[in-house]
Amino acid sequence: MSFYPYTDNGGSALAIAGEDYCLLASDTRQSGEDYKIHAGYVPKAFKLTDSCVYAGVGFSADGVALVKRVRQSIEWYRHAHEKTMSTPALAQMIATVLYSKRFFPYYVGTILGGLDENGRGVVYSFDPVGSFEAELHKAVGSGAELIQPFLDNQVNLKFLPEVERTPLPLDVALQIAKDAFTSAAERDTKTGDYLEIFIIDREGVNVERFDLKRD
Amino acid sequence: MNRNQYDNDISTWSPQGRIYQVEYALEAVKQGSAAVGLRSKTHAILLALKRSSGELASYQNKLIRIDDHLGIAIAGLTSDARVLSNFMRTEAMKSKIMYNRPLPVYRIVSAIGDKSQVNTQNYGRRPYGVGLLVIGVDETGPHLYETSPSGNFLEYYAISIGGRSQSAKTYLEHNYESFADADVDELIVHGLRALHATLQQDKELNTLNCSIGIVGQGQKFEMIQDVDLQRYLDMLGPQGTGDQAAASQGEAPMDTE
């Protein structure tokens, strides 16, 4: 019976990058050991700037601590440079913050969804110690193994007959995200309750909430 | 003057009960260019005259943003102002992290007072050579404070510090009763008139040598500089001579500090 510094609070998040928008969706359930549920609505996704949203899935306390640190860095950057940090700069910075705890990591799967400096949608995903990459779509969390292949198929049109690639419209991406979560909520015990979807576009950041199964 | 015996270090009193090193530090504030602050029931604003060392040089910034709800104007040693403003920024962030609410204005001003006082009582240290005008909004509304190297701080409806600030004070004293219910534009025009009173003969306020900071209930701290100032300078009207503003109150401005 010794102290173990980490807990898995479960939950899932995904992000999809469009041509001029980005979409980040996460569930809000916070789970405990075995099949316990701590709470149905504890947000995992947070707006960082008018063009960037963050989600930290895994150990809830580390996810919250990380976002507090990141928000402070954004504020110091703003004081020093009199402008808001761009999404790619934020991604690089988050990677350094994560690696700074290489030997006692933030136990979170992190994703950033936002617009790059040209206004195109971009998704960055990180491992717990800061390895990161820009991608078009990514899922993290307990439902990642269920959601990621679905995104590969529906967003990247993988393993389907060759079709002409057209940019993914926002409403189609939104439906993909909702379907991904309703499916994940069925098969993953730690995903459910509510779904929060952040949409980032030229106008700013909007958030909508939907119900998921509560079992 | 006999003060040479008693002005060598911070921990020496004069027989008259004065600490000359602190008073010398206050002198540094008076040598800075003028800054004016005033407030209404809903907003608090700062206006400052930016100085430039010559035609080739840029104009020194006088306004610093601390947080969404806090801003300062500085007069005196700019480098000391940087240290204090970084301290204020850290405290403002700590407040949000620890208590999940924006830093109340009184808290940060008294923290600066306490920090400043330490340097007036420890041998070998020197006071901060900068006075601040702090504006901010918290649960109790908009506020305006002055801090000084002595560690003293006081809240004001309107105040000015720096070079020839007495002229601005005279204007503010004559007009302060109309500040409480003034809207932002009216407040700014009053502030510009007060600032104008501090100018030397033949000088004028323009978009290069002026800057304005505004904070209010529902309005984040915002700085107005350069071309954005033109609209307010137009509201001021023709500037004429430096006497114009105070003379309209029937009194010549005093050119002393």
Side-chain angles (χ1 to χ4, degrees), chain A residues 78-142:
Chain A
R78 199 177 151 195
H79 282 139
H81 305 284
E82 288 181 13
K83 68 172 189 156
T84 310
M85 243 175 136
S86 68
T87 306
L90 252 175
Q92 181 69 27
M93 198 258 298
I94 289 176
T96 62
V97 172
L98 290 169
Y99 197 80
S100 71
K101 273 169 69 68
R102 168 69 178 79
F103 302 111
F104 183 18
Y106 286 106
Y107 227 70
V108 265
T110 312
I111 44 173
L112 267 193
L115 302 178
D116 67 13
E117 277 162 315
N118 299 315
R120 306 185 78 92
V122 66
V123 170
Y124 289 96
S125 66
F126 306 75
D127 80 354
V129 285
S131 166
F132 80 107
E133 194 185 7
E135 297 174 278
L136 287 174
H137 55 79
K138 184 75 175 186
V140 289
S142 56

Side-chain angles (χ1 to χ4, degrees), chain B:
Chain B
M1 264 185 289
N2 211 19
R3 61 183 188 182
N4 318 55
Q5 289 182 276
Y6 308 110
D7 67 353
N8 285 316
D9 53 59
I10 198 83
S11 52
T12 303
W13 289 95
S14 81
Q16 292 76 34
R18 295 159 74 160
I19 304 177
Y20 283 109
Q21 279 295 310
V22 176
E23 295 188 25
Y24 294 165
L26 295 174
E27 208 46 53
V29 178
K30 295 175 193 170
Q31 295 298 325
S33 67
V36 170
L38 50 157
R39 75 158 169 101
S40 68
K41 281 194 194 127
T42 55
H43 290 78
I45 67 171
L46 294 168
L47 303 96
L49 203 57
K50 295 197 278 196
R51 220 177 242 165
S52 127
S53 58
E55 278 188 47
L56 298 172
S58 61
Y59 288 80
Q60 175 63 251
N61 278 326
K62 299 270 287 177
L63 260 43
I64 302 174
R65 176 183 170 271
I66 303 296
D67 198 349
D68 284 335
H69 69 296
L70 278 176
I72 62 173
I74 65 175
L77 266 53
T78 316
S79 38
D80 282 2
R82 193 172 140 74
V83 166
L84 285 179
S85 67
N86 271 344
F87 168 71
M88 291 175 83
R89 284 169 169 174
T90 308
E91 291 301 296
M93 278 191 234
K94 274 161 73 177
S95 180
K96 285 202 267 207
I97 294 276
M98 296 210 286
Y99 306 114
N100 207 29
R101 58 108 173 89
L103 188 54
V105 193
Y106 177 81
R107 297 266 164 102
I108 189 56
V109 169
S110 64
I112 293 186
D114 291 343
K115 196 172 162 66
S116 302
Q117 190 280 338
V118 171
N119 288 10
T120 69
Q121 203 174 5
N122 287 320
Y123 182 76
R125 302 186 71 136
R126 68 157 178 84
Y128 290 105
V130 63
L132 309 179
L133 293 183
V134 181
I135 55 169
V137 181
D138 57 33
E139 283 178 346
T140 51
H143 298 281
L144 164 65
Y145 282 88
E146 179 200 5
T147 74
S148 94
S150 58
N152 279 333
F153 60 91
L154 207 52
E155 184 165 14
Y156 289 89
Y157 291 113
I159 182 67
S160 79
I161 58 175
R164 283 181 294 278
S165 59
Q166 185 52 55
S167 317
K169 274 193 197 127
T170 310
Y171 177 90
L172 295 172
E173 276 165 19
H174 278 124
N175 292 278
Y176 77 91
E177 270 150 340
S178 60
F179 294 170
D181 294 311
D183 65 35
V184 187
D185 285 355
E186 286 165 350
L187 216 54
I188 291 179
V189 172
H190 276 302
L192 285 172
R193 296 224 161 93
L195 196 61
H196 189 273
T198 70
L199 288 171
Q200 287 169 297
Q201 209 78 313
D202 296 337
K203 300 281 183 202
E204 281 204 339
L205 295 177
N206 58 50
T207 58
L208 291 173
N209 67 5
C210 220
S211 73
I212 303 179
I214 310 173
V215 74
Q217 285 156 337
Q219 169 160 19
K220 292 185 181 176
F221 179 77
E222 162 192 11
M223 285 203 273
I224 305 177
Q225 318 236 51
D226 306 313
V227 282
D228 301 323
L229 280 169
Q230 192 54 52
R231 126 159 216 274
Y232 296 101
L233 294 173
D234 293 339
M235 279 189 230
L236 185 59
Q239 292 186 34
T241 64
D243 295 330
Q244 186 187 8
S248 66
Q249 307 305 322
E251 211 179 279
M254 297 197 284
D255 202 33
T256 52
E257 188 36 80

